[in-house]
Amino acid sequence: MPLRRPDDFFHISARGSTPGREVRGGMATFFTMAYILVLNPIILGGARDVHGDQLAFEQLVTVTALVAAIMTVLMGVTANLPLALAAGLGINAMVAFQIAPRMSWADAMGLVVLEGIIVCALSATGLREAVMNAIPAALKQAIGVGIGLFIALIGFVDAGFTLGHEGAPPLSLGAGGELTGWPVLAFCLGLLLTLALLARRVKGAILLGILATTVFAIVVNAVADIPDEAWGLTVPEVPDDVAAAPDFALLGDFSLFGAFGEVSVVTAVLLVFTLFLTDFFDTMGTAVGVTSEAGLLDERGRVPRLGRLLFVDGLAAAAGGAASASSNTSYIESAAGVGEGARTGAANLVTGGLFALALFFAPLAAVVPAQAAAPALVAVGFLMMAQVGRIDWADYAVGIPAFVTIAVMPFTYSITNGIGAGFIAWVVLRAVLGRTREVSWLLWLTAGLFVVYFGIDPVEQLFGVDD
């Protein structure tokens, strides 16, 4: 059987894309999420388990890049969607600061593997796909808009343009209500450049913005007296070493059921349940938001090849735990690649390939500062806001849950929280208005699970679970 051409395999032309757009999109996605190569090791490496042990930073960089590379390519080849995967933020913090202090690192990662296996099982049975297809179109659109605001806020915060501090207001313009320092200036100039390129419909606008801002940041950092901490996690400077040998020592260092010997069965089950809900609905929101922005949803608002997408996402969670990289999940930063024109899994080959290269060129991957990647997130936030016009705001039973979904995501810094609040509002309003027949049993069940999710502290107290 002759080999199929990339265009035939990925349907690049059929989706209105080109190989060049896929390459640019894959690169844009990588550069907007490359921060995870630094951030995940910092989060996991900065915590200690119950025995006081810490994970080595260099080893965490290796497993973070490795799992992201493999699972991103697998998503592209099997689901043919421009959806990249890497260690999930929020989930890794939960593993580091809520789970690991109660048990060993191996036991904590074992719970992540269990959660991933559960997600795979639900995906294989079709239940997870059924839940996603049961979501009303208005909520899917609201999820996309909410994610747009959420990632725009991430961009503003990562760049130091918006900061939180003690006292009122909870968020302000820079530190003390004003913008200070060269790093923030680099972000502002990068944002203006990116938006100007977008407005002029320049090909590669987002990627060009990232690269130009990175070069500007490197030059400024070299000639100005700027403290390293002003840049945040990544200092824009030419690295001393271009290449570094990967360290695979953490691969396979997990215990599948070890946690049940360290804590009570109820505690272990609740921890897995919380991991599961966070991963399940973060993926749901990301998949809907990215594919909607790419124009890939069908006439009923459904994600193409959803079963494959969800199974790979669950497999990524298990693989992340097995590699001690924490649960891997779909990344909303993939929308940056979509903004560059990516429409197929071909873009994932580029993103995954760059993550694979990062195994050996970690010093180069860490050159792009947050101030250079953040403008891309803000620009993508603008692109995703366009979906807000599709929501029927005149119908309060639709508009209120949509508003709650959109508002809660950025204001609580969580995709999962926004989805949960929107689901609950949707169900409650229909019950109040006597329209319960419009709500499927899956939405009732999902809303009920989110009630437990939001009330997890009283539930833990009810069952006598210690913090």
Side-chain angles (χ1 to χ4, degrees):
M1 181 180 295
L3 293 176
R4 299 173 64 185
R5 296 183 305 166
D7 193 5
D8 296 333
F9 183 85
F10 291 106
H11 307 292
I12 296 175
S13 298
R15 292 189 178 178
S17 184
T18 65
R21 290 178 183 176
E22 297 300 313
V23 171
R24 291 196 302 270
M27 293 178 67
T29 294
F30 172 77
F31 283 113
T32 52
M33 61 188 290
Y35 65 84
I36 197 62
L37 295 171
V38 178
L39 190 54
N40 194 48
I42 286 178
I43 292 175
L44 293 178
R48 296 179 183 272
D49 67 7
V50 70
H51 306 298
D53 296 330
Q54 289 180 286
L55 300 177
F57 186 91
E58 295 78 8
Q59 295 171 354
L60 286 170
V61 172
T62 295
V63 294
T64 299
L66 178 66
V67 179
I70 294 174
M71 302 315 301
T72 295
V73 170
L74 186 61
M75 178 69 79
V77 173
T78 60
N80 194 23
L81 293 171
L83 199 61
L85 299 92
L89 289 174
I91 297 178
N92 57 4
M94 178 185 174
V95 172
F97 304 113
Q98 184 177 347
I99 299 179
R102 304 180 180 185
M103 58 192 73
S104 69
W105 280 111
D107 294 336
M109 293 302 172
L111 290 183
V112 176
V113 175
L114 280 176
E115 177 259 330
I117 292 174
I118 293 172
V119 171
C120 284
L122 291 177
S123 299
T125 60
L127 180 59
R128 196 181 186 195
E129 183 174 354
V131 172
M132 288 194 69
N133 287 334
I135 303 174
L139 278 185
K140 289 181 180 179
Q141 292 153 359
I143 288 170
V145 176
I147 289 175
L149 290 178
F150 174 60
I151 63 175
L153 180 59
I154 290 176
F156 283 123
V157 172
D158 286 352
F161 188 89
T162 300
L163 294 176
H165 51 78
E166 295 183 3
L171 293 176
S172 69
L173 179 69
E178 62 182 11
L179 300 177
T180 58
W182 284 98
V184 177
L185 176 62
F187 162 75
C188 293
L189 294 177
L191 178 59
L192 290 174
L193 173 63
T194 302
L195 295 178
L197 293 174
L198 276 177
R200 292 186 63 86
R201 309 285 182 175
V202 174
K203 293 182 179 180
I206 293 176
L207 181 58
L208 287 174
I210 294 173
L211 296 178
T213 309
T214 299
V215 172
F216 176 77
I218 291 174
V219 173
V220 167
N221 189 63
V223 300
D225 185 17
I226 304 174
D228 288 351
E229 58 269 18
W231 292 103
L233 295 174
T234 305
V235 179
E237 57 187 6
V238 179
D240 295 330
D241 297 317
V242 175
D247 187 341
F248 300 100
L250 288 176
L251 287 178
D253 189 14
F254 71 97
S255 175
L256 194 59
F257 298 106
F260 292 86
E262 296 257 11
V263 297
S264 68
V265 173
V266 173
T267 299
V269 169
L270 284 176
L271 289 174
V272 172
F273 174 75
T274 305
L275 282 171
F276 165 75
L277 276 189
T278 302
D279 193 9
F280 189 110
F281 290 101
D282 263 8
T283 298
M284 178 180 293
T286 299
V288 172
V290 172
T291 54
S292 177
E293 178 61 27
L296 298 177
L297 297 180
D298 64 16
E299 64 280 357
R300 297 173 60 184
R302 295 179 301 184
V303 178
R305 296 192 177 186
L306 181 58
R308 297 183 184 186
L309 183 161
L310 297 177
F311 187 84
V312 172
D313 191 85
L315 190 62
S324 295
S326 182
S327 176
N328 274 231
T329 188
S330 302
Y331 256 58
I332 190 58
E333 281 84 353
S334 302
V338 170
E340 278 298 334
R343 294 295 182 271
T344 76
N348 280 32
L349 301 185
V350 178
T351 305
L354 290 172
F355 270 118
L357 284 176
L359 284 167
F360 306 95
F361 298 97
L364 286 181
V367 167
V368 180
Q371 290 79 6
L377 299 181
V378 177
V380 170
F382 154 72
L383 294 174
M384 297 185 72
M385 273 295 296
Q387 301 176 65
V388 75
R390 305 176 189 172
I391 300 171
D392 183 8
W393 297 104
D395 184 351
Y396 281 12
V398 171
I400 291 176
F403 167 75
V404 170
T405 301
I406 293 169
V408 171
M409 281 190 196
F411 292 157
T412 66
Y413 223 63
S414 168
I415 294 174
T416 298
N417 290 347
I419 294 174
F423 277 24
I424 293 173
W426 185 277
V427 169
V428 169
L429 285 181
R430 267 148 187 75
V432 170
L433 297 173
R435 297 163 57 178
T436 56
R437 292 184 179 180
E438 299 177 7
V439 183
S440 70
W441 69 270
L442 281 173
L443 276 184
W444 282 108
L445 175 62
T446 305
L449 290 175
F450 270 116
V451 170
V452 177
Y453 173 80
F454 287 120
I456 194 68
D457 182 65
V459 171
E460 289 181 340
Q461 293 181 32
L462 180 65
F463 286 100
V465 178
D466 297 327
D467 294 331

